[in-house]
Amino acid sequence: MVNQELIAATVDNCRYCLMCRHLASVELVTHKETLSPHGWGILIASERRGLMEWDEDSVMAIYAAPDHGNSRAHCVTDQPLPEMIAAVRADLVEKKLAPKVVYDLEATFKKWGNPYEEKEPQVSKGKGSVALFVGDEAQYLWPEALDAALKVLAAQDVDPVLIGVGRNNGYMASSLGLPDTAKALAQATLDELKASGAKQMLVLSAGDYFTFRQLYEERLDISWPEDVELLEVTTFLADQLEAGALKLKPSNDETPVAYVDPTLSVRVPSRHEAPRSILAAVYPSSSVELLWRKERAHPVGNSALQFTRPEIAEKLTHHRLQDAQRVGAKVIITEDPGTLHKLSEMADQYNLNVQGLYELLAESLA
């Protein structure tokens, strides 16, 4: 059921507000006022007031929103604009007005549980006190992250049960306007988590953390189990490092390196320092910071845009690489498998090397 009250309340508050415009990533790379939080608000308000009807151009404008959370992160009244746009898309899907690719992806999610490979998720039968959600990006796009993370966790005497192997966490389906599909993906993971008996679940990325901690409840009306602690691997490792349990060898390499805040990281502001503290232990004197970082970090093209508006997804990825090149970085590092995959597709154009944070840590274990 589409949340019409959410749409009505949010669109009235956002349509003439420019508070988050300076962080509007899609407007920045396309130079189109229509493709901004303010523009999407006016577009949706116009349709709701009978001033226009949905057509191909207006629908494609709605499907140009990145759903990365910058608008909400920089709103003093916490307007849920991304959630409102997801609700509008769900309305378009119900009315059979969404782009064809959305319905194709719906069928793909239902059959395979992910948009990348025609393989069903691997359902774990293992049991343990700690679980690790793998997802689809780590399984199919950047498996090196999983292998390395497991090696580093093993050095901390953590041997997690792997769950959700090859299954999307539900974020992308929700973003596309497919809440029922997202709920099915979410419930499958929660069922697997329950069966494992784990009381702590680790995740590899900020996107997974946001999805489980916030998106499930806000968009899907699914509560995270109260008896299960949710924790990013980077946060866990940063705590281990501070406690002296994680031992890393510092590098003498003076090549300038930059940490790239992954897509959706603005949704989890408390996590910004954890990966940086870990990186500083390996590169104590050669790290540089991007302009678009931490609370103003922009996404790369690994959101649903890669399917609905691939030309915009590519612009967003180029924008992050240009940022790294501009500050003099030679190596860019992040932990999120989807972000790593997209950066690596174009990094050669900017003479940049891409490295996974977990792989770096695995290589740097003392």
Side-chain angles (χ1 to χ4, degrees), residues 104 148 238 252 283 315 352:
D104 292 342
N252 295 320
Y283 290 108
K315 288 178 183 293
L352 290 167

Side-chain angles (χ1 to χ4, degrees), residues 148-215:
L150 290 174
K151 180 179 179 180
V152 179
L153 289 171
Q156 306 304 300
D157 297 320
V158 177
D159 182 21
V161 177
L162 303 185
I163 68 170
V165 178
R167 182 188 304 115
N168 187 268
N169 59 23
Y171 157 72
M172 188 177 292
S174 168
S175 183
L176 288 164
L178 305 170
D180 291 341
T181 302
K183 284 182 181 180
L185 293 167
Q187 195 59 56
T189 294
L190 291 176
D191 290 345
E192 200 174 345
L193 174 61
K194 183 177 180 179
S196 75
K199 297 304 178 184
Q200 183 184 68
M201 190 169 89
L202 299 172
V203 294
L204 296 170
S205 72
D208 289 332
Y209 186 91
F210 158 71
T211 299
F212 294 129
R213 175 60 65 197
Q214 185 173 338
L215 184 146

Side-chain angles (χ1 to χ4, degrees), residues 40-77:
W40 289 311
I42 290 180
L43 187 63
I44 295 166
S46 297
E47 190 277 332
R48 292 181 66 83
R49 286 164 171 74
L51 302 176
M52 56 158 276
E53 294 183 356
W54 293 119
D55 59 16
E56 183 178 358
D57 289 341
S58 57
V59 168
M60 292 308 292
I62 294 300
Y63 273 92
D67 194 12
H68 57 68
N70 278 38
S71 57
R72 186 170 181 180
H74 290 268
C75 179
V76 295
T77 58

